Amino acid sequence: MLVASQLTKSYQNGAHRLTVLRDVSFSVRAGDWIAIVGPSGSGKTTLLGLLAGLDTPSEGSVLLDGTDLGPLDEDARARIRGEKVGFIFQSFQLIPTLTAIENVQVPLELRGERDAVPRARLWLERVGLSDRTTHYPAQLSGGEQQRVAVARAFANSPRVLFADEPTGNLDSATGERIIDLLAELNREAGTTIVIVTHDLALAGRAGRIIRLSDGAVASDTETQ
Ligand code: ADP
Ligand code: MG
C-alpha cells in the first residue's frame, strides 16, 4: 500500500543545510496499522506529510497504492489524496466559516457523493458530537474540533488514513473512543492506518511501531 524508499528531507537555511529526515525506508501492507513514535522534532510530522503526498522529499521516493508520487505535480498529488487518503492534522485545519456538519459534508459533496448530509451526521454521531452539528469551530473546544476532524477524515472512506497525534487534545476517555473508531475502521473497512503518536496506549494498539530518532529509523518492530 505504501513504500518509502530512502526518504531524505532537508531545508536550506542560509548557508546551513538542515536535514530533518535521513534515509528512511519501510513498507506498509494494505490493511496494516502502524504507529510512528519518537521525540518532538524527530521528523514524525514531516514523514507523514511525505507519505501522504502533502510535501515532496529532497531525495528518495514514495509509492502510494502503486503510484510513484515523485513525478506528479501538485494537482495530480491532490487528486490522489482526494481518492485514497484521509488526513487528521495535528492542528485540525477545520474551515472556520463552516459548521461542524458542513466541515464533514462539504468534502463529500465536492466528490459528488449524494448521501453527504446523512453520512456527515452519522460520523459526527460516531465521534460523540450529535449535539454539536451546527456549532462553528470557534464555538467548539479543542477536543471537539479534533473529533470533527476525525469524522471528516473517516467519512471519506479513505484507503489509507494518516493521523498526526489524533488524541493529543483529548481527555483519556475521548481518546479511547477515537482509538476504538480507528480500530473499527481498520478491522471492518480494511483501512490502512499510519498514525503518529506520543500516546503509548495508542501506539500499542498498532501492529507495528516505527521509532524515529533525529530523522532516522531507530527501530521497526511488530507488536504482536
Ligand atoms: P515532529 O513531528 O517529530 O515533532 P517535525 O517533523 O515537525 O517533527 O520537525 C522535524 C524538524 O524539522 C524540526 O526540527 C523542525 O524545526 C524542522 N522543520 C519542519 N518544517 C520545517 C520547515 N518548513 N523549514 C525548516 N525546518 C523545518
Ligand atoms: Mg509533529
Side-chain angles (χ1 to χ4, degrees), residues 1-105:
M1 178 53 74
L2 205 54
V3 183
S5 305
Q6 299 181 295
L7 285 178
T8 293
K9 180 76 179 177
S10 26
Y11 295 101
Q12 196 68 37
N13 208 335
H16 181 68
R17 194 163 178 79
L18 177 69
T19 298
V20 300
L21 280 179
R22 53 193 92 229
D23 210 17
V24 171
S25 300
F26 59 87
S27 53
V28 181
R29 282 175 316 231
D32 279 359
W33 175 353
I34 74 159
I36 298 170
V37 302
S40 177
S42 57
K44 304 181 298 294
T45 296
T46 305
L47 175 58
L48 219 55
L50 296 180
L51 296 175
L54 290 163
D55 192 8
T56 53
S58 308
E59 284 167 61
S61 66
V62 174
L63 225 62
L64 178 64
D65 200 15
T67 304
D68 184 354
L69 300 182
L72 304 184
D73 62 12
E74 176 51 40
D75 284 352
R77 288 204 312 276
R79 206 154 40 238
I80 298 240
R81 288 199 303 271
E83 282 165 16
K84 300 178 194 268
V85 170
F87 207 105
I88 302 169
F89 296 91
Q90 212 165 357
S91 51
F92 327 133
Q93 307 218 358
L94 299 178
I95 298 171
T97 54
L98 298 182
T99 63
I101 192 162
E102 288 165 349
N103 262 284
V104 180
Q105 149 200 346

Side-chain angles (χ1 to χ4, degrees), residues 188-201:
E188 289 170 12
T191 308
T192 307
I193 295 180
V194 180
I195 187 174
V196 162
T197 184
H198 273 118
D199 184 337
L200 290 181

Side-chain angles (χ1 to χ4, degrees), residues 118-217:
R119 213 148 109 199
R121 196 174 299 284
L122 172 75
W123 278 103
L124 284 176
E125 211 168 281
R126 291 184 83 174
V127 298
L129 287 180
S130 30
D131 54 352
R132 295 285 189 283
T133 54
T134 57
H135 283 54
Y136 288 90
Q139 301 170 323
L140 296 168
S141 72
E144 289 166 345
Q145 291 180 51
Q146 180 66 302
R147 285 186 276 158
V148 175
V150 168
R152 179 179 59 185
F154 283 14
N156 210 23
S157 315
R159 299 270 293 132
V160 193
L161 181 74
F162 295 97
D164 198 353
E165 312 254 11
T167 62
N169 299 285
L170 306 178
D171 59 75
S172 57
T174 312
E176 193 78 27
R177 187 142 151 210
I178 297 296
I179 300 168
D180 290 341
L181 277 170
L182 285 174
E184 223 173 282
L185 197 69
N186 177 249
R187 195 175 54 238
E188 289 170 12
T191 308
T192 307
I193 295 180
V194 180
I195 187 174
V196 162
T197 184
H198 273 118
D199 184 337
L200 290 181
L202 180 45
R205 298 278 292 269
R208 177 175 163 205
I209 299 179
I210 293 176
R211 189 174 299 276
L212 284 187
S213 171
D214 200 16
V217 175

